[in-house]
Amino acid sequence: MSPAFRAMDVEPRAKGVLLEPFVHQVGGHSCVLRFNETTLCKPLVPREHQFYETLPAEMRKFTPQYKGVVSVRFEEDEDRNLCLIAYPLKGDHGTMEIVDNSDCEPKSKLLRWTTNKKHHVLETEKTPKDWVRQHRKEEKMKSHKLEEEFEWLKKSEVLYYTVEKKGNISSQLKHYNPWSMKCHQQQLQRMKENAKHRNQYKFILLENLTSRYEVPCVLDLKMGTRQHGDDASEEKAANQIRKCQQSTSAVIGVRVCGMQVYQAGSGQLMFMNKYHGRKLSVQGFKEALYQFFHNGRYLRRELLGPVLKKLTELKAVLERQESYRFYSSSLLVIYDGKERPEVVLDSDAEDLEDLSEESADESAGAYAYKPIGASSVDVRMIDFAHTTCRMYGEDTVVHEGQDAGYIFGLQSLIDIVTEISEESGE
């Protein structure tokens, strides 16, 4: 941990930002919260914080952008509603905006607090106390109405919902994703239980990878043949080894940790949690992957090529990383479940440059069809709380060479997506 980080203090009179559940969290046990539309925050783990501050340049395109650190406090309002509030650290002021200087190091791309009031800041002129109180009362009423149903949802491993196509699909996700609400409630409970001893936590700010998608379809894959870190207790290591041995992790180096899919054809939302993912056979894993890319009517084949390309690029990058071990890390695959209409493009030079590799078929003739946004699928590594590397001076175990378990999982994933593509006639 750097001296600069240890020296950070909280600005005592700063305005706070009300944190909300991140409704697209489909896996993991650490609570992820929504800071604003393009930024998320999660509890700071020193090892993960160190990873983001020192990660190799060629890995940046495969990880969320790191945006800095805030202090988060557990608070109760006048109606005893529980909430989490983010505050700037000492030396920062106001709300947050992105400082992006692409010619500088990643630390220059952090968030800074400004006096701009365009974000949701508590108790400012644009969000008076009465408005905040009324907003929380409405949310509390919704919460009570869904409480009994939610208790049942938490115990279910695979869920389907029929959504109102005429309404805003993305807003309906707020009431349907049981995993994100479970993580949020657990975080509130932990902080409430510790409130007498501690009520100030540091959270890191990260890019919201789902913000550019209207209806994000998210697949969370636990990567590698080993999940426990070098610092794990014997009991923890044994538990993680058992989970790997009883799942596809031991066989193919990857297992499903969570999934959220909008099937436009059937008008259904599907959620799958990690407990179901652990039970899948290799064939079941392949079927789950097929289901993830299926819209209820047909397979979204135009997504497979871009996914394969990014997986192959990531594998090549990791093969060049010396000493890294990404234990218990996940890989996210994200695309938009809201499909765009196809557009016809003249096959002249300028138009063909804009076509994805999958659409620009030489045999397409005078015209080629390109679904708008079809190739905007994202592949990113997340969760580095147990990552280790030679440069982490406090680690007693130093590994040599590549992370063979993670790379094995990537190759398995590439092979399975390739099989799906070939079998579907891509």
Side-chain angles (χ1 to χ4, degrees):
M1 189 183 300
S2 67
F5 177 71
R6 285 197 297 266
M8 284 192 263
D9 295 317
V10 176
E11 186 69 41
R13 293 178 296 278
K15 302 298 182 182
V17 175
L18 175 65
L19 301 178
E20 301 173 352
F22 174 53
V23 298
H24 303 303
Q25 180 179 0
V26 298
H29 61 270
S30 179
C31 179
V32 179
L33 298 164
R34 181 185 183 276
F35 183 90
N36 60 34
E37 184 176 351
T38 60
T39 307
L40 305 177
C41 64
K42 60 183 293 192
L44 185 148
V45 176
R47 184 176 297 275
E48 182 170 46
H49 183 243
Q50 184 175 13
F51 169 81
Y52 278 113
E53 289 205 316
T54 61
L55 87 159
E58 63 179 345
M59 285 189 64
R60 290 175 198 158
K61 66 181 290 187
F62 294 107
T63 60
Q65 180 190 342
Y66 166 65
K67 300 186 177 185
V69 180
V70 290
S71 175
V72 174
R73 298 176 187 173
F74 165 86
E75 298 182 7
E76 290 186 348
D77 64 10
E78 295 174 3
D79 299 315
R80 300 189 64 80
N81 292 314
L82 309 182
C83 53
L84 295 176
I85 312 296
Y87 292 93
L89 298 168
K90 189 173 182 179
D92 298 326
H93 302 280
T95 65
M96 308 282 279
E97 70 177 10
I98 296 177
V99 180
D100 190 350
N101 185 343
S102 57
D103 296 328
C104 298
E105 289 298 308
K107 289 183 181 180
S108 69
K109 293 186 178 182
L110 307 184
L111 290 167
R112 68 164 176 241
W113 293 80
T114 73
T115 55
N116 190 323
K117 296 181 180 179
K118 64 182 178 181
H119 296 304
H120 186 179
V121 182
L122 295 181
E123 300 182 8
T124 63
E125 294 175 1
K126 293 193 175 182
T127 55
K129 289 183 179 180
D130 291 342
W131 185 91
V132 173
R133 191 178 301 116
Q134 180 61 30
H135 172 72
R136 291 180 185 163
K137 282 183 178 179
E138 292 173 359
E139 291 300 311
K140 187 175 182 180
M141 290 175 65
K142 292 178 184 177
S143 176
H144 283 311
K145 187 176 180 181
L146 295 169
E147 188 172 346
E148 290 185 4
E149 181 182 359
F150 178 62
E151 288 302 315
W152 173 78
L153 295 181
K154 288 193 293 185
K155 300 174 183 177
S156 303
E157 296 180 359
V158 181
L159 298 168
Y160 289 86
Y161 295 98
T162 300
V163 300
E164 297 291 336
K165 292 186 178 182
K166 294 182 180 179
N168 187 322
I169 299 170
S170 58
S171 67
Q172 294 180 57
L173 285 169
K174 294 180 181 179
H175 305 299
Y176 288 139
N177 187 339
W179 193 260
S180 65
M181 295 305 298
K182 176 182 178 180
C183 291
H184 185 248
Q185 286 190 352
Q186 289 176 338
Q187 183 69 36
L188 285 171
Q189 187 61 33
R190 283 193 295 267
M191 295 180 77
K192 182 179 181 181
E193 290 172 355
N194 294 330
K196 291 182 179 179
H197 311 287
R198 179 187 181 191
N199 191 23
Q200 184 173 303
Y201 299 80
K202 285 188 171 66
F203 277 49
I204 59 171
L205 297 167
L206 299 171
E207 173 189 5
N208 178 3
L209 300 173
T210 68
S211 63
R212 64 193 180 101
Y213 301 104
E214 187 172 344
V215 185
C217 294
V218 183
L219 177 64
D220 186 326
L221 298 170
K222 185 70 73 175
M223 301 298 297
T225 54
R226 169 180 161 176
Q227 301 302 324
H228 62 281
D230 292 323
D231 57 347
S233 65
E234 289 187 13
E235 181 182 1
K236 177 72 171 178
N239 186 43
Q240 293 294 341
I241 290 171
R242 177 182 54 80
K243 289 177 183 177
C244 288
Q245 291 175 339
Q246 295 177 352
S247 70
T248 55
S249 293
V251 184
I252 58 175
V254 56
R255 70 174 184 257
V256 173
C257 192
M259 184 191 301
Q260 167 183 296
V261 186
Y262 173 60
Q263 299 175 334
S266 60
Q268 287 188 318
L269 280 168
M270 189 275 280
F271 298 96
M272 180 186 295
N273 69 23
K274 66 179 182 181
Y275 302 111
H276 187 77
R278 290 178 193 165
K279 298 176 182 178
L280 295 175
S281 63
V282 174
Q283 180 60 29
F285 177 87
K286 180 178 177 180
E287 291 170 359
L289 229 59
Y290 182 91
Q291 189 174 26
F292 176 68
F293 291 112
H294 203 282
N295 74 350
R297 283 197 305 265
Y298 53 83
L299 188 69
R300 295 283 301 275
R301 290 191 297 268
E302 80 278 4
L303 300 170
L304 302 181
V307 167
L308 284 171
K309 181 179 179 182
K310 292 189 177 185
L311 290 174
T312 302
E313 290 176 356
L314 174 58
K315 180 172 175 283
V317 168
L318 294 188
E319 287 174 339
R320 293 191 290 270
Q321 305 312 310
E322 173 68 24
S323 180
Y324 273 101
R325 294 296 182 272
F326 304 100
Y327 298 135
S328 201
S329 177
S330 283
L331 188 70
L332 290 185
V333 181
I334 311 170
Y335 70 89
D336 203 333
K338 183 69 175 297
E339 296 180 70
R340 269 63 173 179
E342 290 187 340
V343 294
V344 180
L345 298 174
D346 271 331
S347 57
D348 57 33
E350 289 186 8
D351 289 335
L352 287 177
E353 282 182 6
D354 294 332
L355 286 170
S356 67
E357 293 181 13
E358 294 70 35
S359 300
D361 190 331
E362 292 179 1
S363 63
Y367 295 94
Y369 290 86
K370 178 191 177 185
I372 300 174
S375 62
S376 62
V377 61
D378 210 351
V379 174
R380 304 285 188 106
M381 298 173 69
I382 62 167
D383 296 340
F384 303 100
H386 301 286
T387 292
T388 183
C389 179
R390 179 183 291 119
M391 71 179 69
Y392 297 0
E394 298 177 0
D395 291 354
T396 56
V397 179
V398 177
H399 299 272
E400 300 293 335
Q402 311 164 342
D403 188 339
Y406 197 110
I407 293 171
F408 173 61
L410 275 178
Q411 185 58 57
S412 298
L413 196 55
I414 291 169
D415 293 342
I416 292 173
V417 175
T418 298
E419 288 177 15
I420 293 173
S421 178
E422 291 175 349
E423 291 171 5
S424 66
E426 175 71 351

